[in-house]
Amino acid sequence: MKIVTAESAGFCFGVRKAVDIVYREAGGPGPVYTYGPIIHNQAVVEDLEKKGVRVLRSEEELAEVKGGVIVTRSHGVSRAEEERLRRTGARVVDATCPFVKRIHRTVEKESAQGSEIVIIGNPDHPEVKGIMGWSHTPVTVISNEEEARSYIPRGDGQICVVAQTTFNANKFKDFIAILQQRGYNILCVNTICSATHERQAEAREIARIADTMIVIGDSSSSNSAKLYEICRKECPDTQFIQSWRDLQLPPAGGDGVVGITAGASVPSTIIEEVQLHVRAEF
Ligand code: F3S
């Protein structure tokens, strides 16, 4: 039996950075909080809780904070949220992914110069809400083709278009083409991060040759669910598991290929445990 593990499985650069920051801060003297769960992974959040890190999940919980350290998530926060966090008196550690931070800076600068801001992405996603909060001018969020077609600028100046980092690159291009056809004065900044696309493409390749494909991810993680969906199309025997305990063993051994990939919020220790058990039990 051959095991093929995706090189892009698990944490992307931004998530790894954010998680490392929280672990580093957890060793300090004062209370440490994260503004929302640092990643969609229960095991990591629980491990951090054991080290004294508390997740702030509501305004009421934030209001109770008196000093200590608050770490923001890789998705980033709006300017107003950042200011609110600082007003608690806590030291605010910005763990926003640098790729997301770059979007904040672009939106802040371009809107200050009078550009209208358009974000191509999901308006309910915390990353998009955070980006909106850096604009000095009203923002339009376009999430589908219909919205791209019906979009009417508020003025006749420049329109700065950015994307949610995990947005589908082909759809982004299509929406930009729709806006350009109208002859609008567009400054298009492609802010899509390739980490998600690369993870999906590699998972698809491995699932194509695998007899059994294992996708590791938290049940609440949408990028892991997407990976499962992609792999399932290529390999009917695809298992979606949270840890090695969920592995379903084949009836008897086998010479086939077992592929392994993992969502962006899965730490390398969990991937290694799965590899070990697959090797021992399949
Ligand atoms: Fe950053 Fe890309 Fe990950 S934007 S958080 S490295 S998916």
Side-chain angles (χ1 to χ4, degrees), residues 20 24 31 43 54-55 78 81 119 147 169 185-186 209 229 234 237 266 273:
D20 285 351
R24 209 172 51 227
R54 251 190 71 194
V55 180
S78 68
E81 277 177 307
I119 306 170
E147 287 170 3
N185 174 12
I186 290 176
I209 56 154
E229 193 188 300
E234 306 296 335
D237 185 18
V266 179
E273 275 173 6

Side-chain angles (χ1 to χ4, degrees), residues 3-273:
I3 301 173
V4 183
T5 304
E7 281 178 24
S8 56
F11 287 0
C12 61
F13 157 76
V15 168
R16 182 174 304 123
K17 188 170 170 281
V19 172
D20 285 351
I21 287 175
V22 184
Y23 273 99
R24 209 172 51 227
E25 292 292 340
V32 178
Y33 307 92
T34 59
Y35 188 54
I38 198 73
I39 53 169
H40 287 298
N41 185 288
Q42 236 175 303
V44 174
V45 173
E46 280 170 15
D47 186 49
L48 284 167
E49 262 166 12
K50 280 187 209 136
K51 295 183 185 336
V53 178
R54 251 190 71 194
V55 180
L56 297 170
R57 296 178 193 270
S58 64
E59 283 298 313
E60 292 73 32
E61 287 182 1
L62 180 61
E64 283 167 19
V65 172
K66 304 270 177 292
V69 178
I70 304 177
V71 185
T72 63
R73 298 189 289 182
S74 56
H75 294 318
V77 292
S78 68
R79 186 175 30 210
E81 277 177 307
E82 198 179 282
E83 282 162 9
R84 202 175 326 137
L85 297 184
R86 290 193 198 287
R87 281 202 298 273
T88 61
R91 178 165 59 88
V92 178
V93 179
D94 186 358
T96 306
C97 172
F99 300 140
V100 178
K101 202 71 221 165
R102 196 184 124 222
I103 310 178
H104 293 175
R105 295 281 164 262
T106 303
V107 165
E108 192 178 25
K109 178 173 153 245
E110 293 300 326
S111 63
Q113 288 171 4
S115 284
E116 189 168 328
I117 303 295
V118 170
I119 306 170
I120 295 188
N122 172 0
D124 299 321
H125 194 282
E127 179 191 317
V128 173
K129 289 183 180 167
I131 296 168
M132 288 174 80
W134 288 90
S135 177
H136 296 278
T137 50
V139 178
T140 304
V141 182
I142 292 177
S143 62
N144 56 43
E145 192 179 323
E146 203 189 317
E147 287 170 3
R149 292 199 182 281
S150 59
Y151 166 70
I152 298 170
R154 291 162 212 261
D156 53 6
Q158 182 169 267
I159 303 162
C160 170
V161 188
V162 296
Q164 181 181 344
T165 53
T166 48
F167 202 77
N168 179 297
N170 289 330
K171 282 192 193 167
F172 179 72
K173 267 190 230 149
D174 292 347
F175 296 178
I176 293 291
I178 291 170
L179 300 179
Q180 277 168 340
Q181 274 163 15
R182 303 267 187 87
Y184 298 144
N185 174 12
I186 290 176
L187 168 70
C188 168
V189 190
N190 186 343
T191 50
I192 293 174
C193 166
S194 60
T196 307
H197 175 74
E198 279 163 17
R199 189 182 304 105
Q200 291 176 353
E202 194 186 10
R204 188 178 291 114
E205 288 304 308
I206 296 175
R208 254 178 214 153
I209 56 154
D211 298 288
T212 298
M213 186 72 196
I214 294 161
V215 178
I216 315 165
D218 204 79
S219 52
S220 64
S221 153
S222 58
N223 82 83
S224 302
K226 179 80 190 163
L227 271 184
Y228 173 68
E229 193 188 300
I230 289 170
C231 293
R232 200 50 220 278
K233 276 194 193 136
E234 306 296 335
C235 174
D237 185 18
T238 295
Q239 302 181 18
F240 190 13
I241 64 170
Q242 294 206 41
S243 78
W244 64 270
R245 289 179 190 83
D246 306 325
L247 277 172
Q248 282 167 22
L249 307 179
D255 304 323
V257 173
V258 178
I260 301 175
T261 189
S265 47
V266 179
S268 56
T269 47
I270 293 184
I271 302 172
E272 281 155 19
E273 275 173 6

